Amino acid sequence: EPEVTQTPSHQVTQMGQEVILRCVPISNHLYFYWYRQILGQKVEFLVSFYNNEISEKSEIFDDQFSVERPDGSNFTLKIRSTKLEDSAMYFCASSGRATGTYGYTFGSGTRLTVV
Amino acid sequence: DAKTTQPNSMESNEEEPVHLPCNHSTISGTDYIHWYRQLPSQGPEYVIHGLTSNVNNRMASLAIAEDRKSSTLILHRATLRDAAVYYCILIPMNRDDKIIFGKGTRLHILP
């Protein structure tokens, strides 16, 4: 069964450093998403991406965050200057369509720890 | 956005059926009903979705009320591996949208 692959599975970084979280969505999917989950809390929407541009973003997704699809397969989330409160699980997801007719596939996540 | 209401937690015995309810009284005629689950320390996982008719797949069944104001996810024979948080989510069929997760139902399976 096709999978969404995320790397690394765990990243530790110092406060103020830049991090890039990587995702390989399912190959024929067109819609891509990043979510985050702070320990013990709900899964929160960050950003959706379609046709090489951001289609929607949440209030969490401020100027410190950016997304990119640098080639035909990778989808990345960059945090420019990490803060302690950015520590969370980050999940990538993809879908063939963004309407309810299709399910969404999520990756296993990257655990980001900012120290 | 249409909202869903789920119990915070439920318990079930292993190898017994589990019925997870979801109320969505303000559902629109163009909203699909989706269910996802999140196993401990893992990402959310698609379970099943439907519009009006009941649906079955290898993981579960989805029973949708005739008025579509509620639905029930049915796990026919729960295993310990089914212990997870289950999310009932509405997604429109006629426009692009993202998944918004609520708190879901935490399902505990008793051996």
Side-chain angles (χ1 to χ4, degrees):
Chain A
E1 196 166 319
E3 288 184 343
V4 172
T5 304
Q6 290 187 244
T7 54
S9 57
H10 190 188
Q11 178 145 7
V12 181
T13 189
Q14 293 210 329
M15 193 168 52
Q17 295 296 304
E18 175 184 285
V19 293
I20 297 176
L21 309 183
R22 302 182 192 278
C23 170
V24 179
I26 293 174
S27 61
N28 61 350
H29 281 184
L30 301 174
Y31 294 81
F32 313 111
Y33 308 85
W34 283 101
Y35 287 78
R36 81 169 186 191
Q37 186 174 33
I38 295 170
L39 187 63
Q41 298 188 23
K42 291 190 306 184
V43 179
E44 299 173 290
F45 168 75
L46 291 179
V47 66
S48 56
F49 190 88
Y50 170 68
N51 201 24
N52 281 322
E53 61 182 24
I54 291 173
S55 45
E56 191 171 355
K57 58 185 180 179
S58 71
E59 290 180 356
I60 304 167
F61 195 89
D62 61 21
D63 291 345
Q64 292 300 310
F65 291 87
S66 62
V67 289
E68 196 178 31
R69 189 154 160 82
D71 53 40
S73 59
N74 290 287
F75 179 51
T76 61
L77 175 69
K78 182 194 291 187
I79 309 175
R80 287 191 186 79
S81 177
T82 50
K83 308 185 192 71
L84 294 176
E85 53 264 38
D86 293 327
S87 295
M89 284 291 292
Y90 288 81
F91 298 108
C92 173
S94 70
S95 178
R97 294 288 300 274
T99 61
T101 46
Y102 285 74
Y104 294 59
T105 304
F106 286 79
S108 301
T110 293
R111 180 175 299 282
L112 177 65
T113 303
V114 182
V115 297
Chain B
D1 289 341
K3 296 284 191 276
T4 63
T5 305
Q6 300 177 251
N8 289 332
S9 67
M10 290 182 63
E11 266 185 9
S12 180
N13 294 319
E14 196 179 9
E15 298 187 4
E16 289 187 358
V18 182
H19 291 234
L20 294 159
C22 180
N23 287 318
H24 28 78
S25 58
T26 59
I27 190 171
S28 148
T30 54
D31 286 336
Y32 271 88
I33 301 159
H34 281 236
W35 282 82
Y36 289 77
R37 71 179 185 180
Q38 188 175 21
L39 303 172
S41 302
Q42 295 194 27
E45 175 186 29
Y46 166 80
V47 178
I48 200 166
H49 75 286
L51 186 63
T52 55
S53 304
N54 295 343
V55 184
N56 300 297
N57 67 20
R58 62 177 176 82
M59 290 180 73
S61 296
L62 176 59
I64 300 173
E66 201 170 323
D67 64 5
R68 299 205 334 120
K69 293 183 186 296
S70 65
S71 60
T72 302
L73 179 71
I74 303 165
L75 307 179
H76 294 286
R77 193 166 165 271
T79 68
L80 295 176
R81 196 194 171 274
D82 292 319
V85 180
Y86 287 78
Y87 301 96
C88 169
I89 299 166
L90 303 181
I91 305 177
M93 73 158 72
N94 57 356
R95 59 180 173 83
D96 293 346
D97 208 352
K98 72 280 184 189
I99 292 177
I100 295 295
F101 290 90
K103 293 183 181 177
T105 296
R106 183 171 295 276
L107 177 64
H108 302 273
I109 304 295
L110 306 175

